[in-house]
Amino acid sequence: VELIVNPSAIGSPTRTACFVNTHSFNLAQKNSSLTGGINDSDYVFADGTGVRIAAQCFGFRLLDNVNGTDLLPPLCERTIEHGQSIYLLGAAPGVAKLAASELSASFPGLKIAGTHHGFFEQRNTHQVIEKINQAKPDILLVALGSPVQELWIQANKKFLDVNIAIAVGGLFDFYSGRIPRAPLWLRRMGLEWVWRLTQEPKRMFRRYVIGNPVFLFRCFFKH
Ligand code: UDP
């Protein structure tokens, strides 16, 4: 959170951040542009149990899981203290707006500079960026799904007039209440993915039931 809000970085070129989980690693394995986008980020946060296991395989001990959903509340608190503002870009029409009003209600004093849905055509990207820049946010949350969001940030950071752009995946779906989040006890056990599988079984089957063993296989046998 301190890295993100860092007031001394204001005025310098737009910084970028993303979260990597087993799904992003699996996608990046087949998509070198995504690997480039992740490696190009100023900050890469380790999200989930799979990444912790992988880190152990390579001799690193990660202190904790850093995912967007847990990070957002303390981030909102710090942005209020620093008088910074947030822009929400992404998710289905109406979802970012709903997430913004939920966040404003939970964090009085939070400055939401604006919102925009994530289903715009590529040829309209510059218009969307202009809208974002006019709103003058400090922090831009980009929820377009992987790999689009990481590539979008990498391609457009030079046009963005924000302190930091962060790829956040399905974050607005959770904060708008569109998709309920796993209960705390399940999250503490590192089993949030099981919950997501029950919520969206069709879409998540490939990602978790096939993706997790594939990822672990690579960690154990290919490093
Ligand atoms: N999304 C979007 N534009 C698109 C495709 C997806 O804004 O063209 C949004 C989608 O509505 C969802 C987010 O991107 O809110 C990606 O969610 P996902 O569950 O895939 O993210 P993750 O599981 O990686 O957090």
Side-chain angles (χ1 to χ4, degrees), residues 50-73:
V51 180
R52 191 164 56 230
I53 295 170
Q56 267 166 8
C57 287
F58 289 86
F60 296 98
R61 197 175 75 84
L62 296 180
L63 288 178
D64 211 343
N65 172 13
V66 186
N67 62 67
T69 335
D70 286 334
L71 192 90
L72 191 58

Side-chain angles (χ1 to χ4, degrees), residues 174-204:
F174 293 120
Y175 278 91
S176 65
R178 199 186 76 78
I179 299 179
R181 218 187 154 197
L184 192 60
W185 62 271
L186 210 57
R187 279 163 24 210
R188 288 210 171 120
M189 287 172 75
L191 293 175
E192 183 156 23
W193 65 272
V194 176
W195 175 264
R196 293 205 65 188
L197 185 63
T198 63
Q199 297 297 302
E200 295 180 275
K202 262 197 191 146
R203 196 165 76 93
M204 295 299 160

Side-chain angles (χ1 to χ4, degrees), residues 38-171:
I38 293 170
N39 286 337
D40 189 52
S41 297
D42 293 296
Y43 312 116
V44 180
F45 302 121
D47 170 7
T49 311
V51 180
R52 191 164 56 230
I53 295 170
Q56 267 166 8
C57 287
F58 289 86
F60 296 98
R61 197 175 75 84
L62 296 180
L63 288 178
D64 211 343
N65 172 13
V66 186
N67 62 67
T69 335
D70 286 334
L71 192 90
L72 191 58
L75 180 63
C76 289
E77 280 159 14
R78 285 305 270 162
T79 56
I80 295 169
E81 284 161 24
H82 283 279
Q84 295 189 2
S85 62
I86 299 182
Y87 195 104
L88 276 55
L89 169 68
V95 173
K97 219 175 213 166
L98 202 55
S101 30
E102 293 288 328
L103 287 172
S104 300
S106 308
F107 299 96
L110 179 68
K111 287 191 208 164
I112 305 269
T115 64
H116 195 289
H117 67 81
F119 287 81
F120 54 91
E121 287 182 39
Q122 210 180 336
R123 63 189 161 93
N124 294 331
T125 290
H126 285 283
Q127 273 167 267
V128 173
I129 291 175
E130 217 171 278
K131 217 180 139 196
I132 296 168
N133 289 344
Q134 274 169 8
K136 297 191 191 316
D138 296 288
I139 299 167
L140 172 65
L141 303 179
V142 182
L144 302 174
S146 265
V148 177
Q149 56 193 12
E150 290 83 4
L151 300 180
W152 191 91
I153 290 176
Q154 191 188 28
N156 295 303
K157 66 179 179 184
K158 54 182 176 292
F159 305 118
L160 287 166
D161 192 10
V162 302
N163 189 9
I164 185 163
I166 314 173
V168 293
L171 190 67

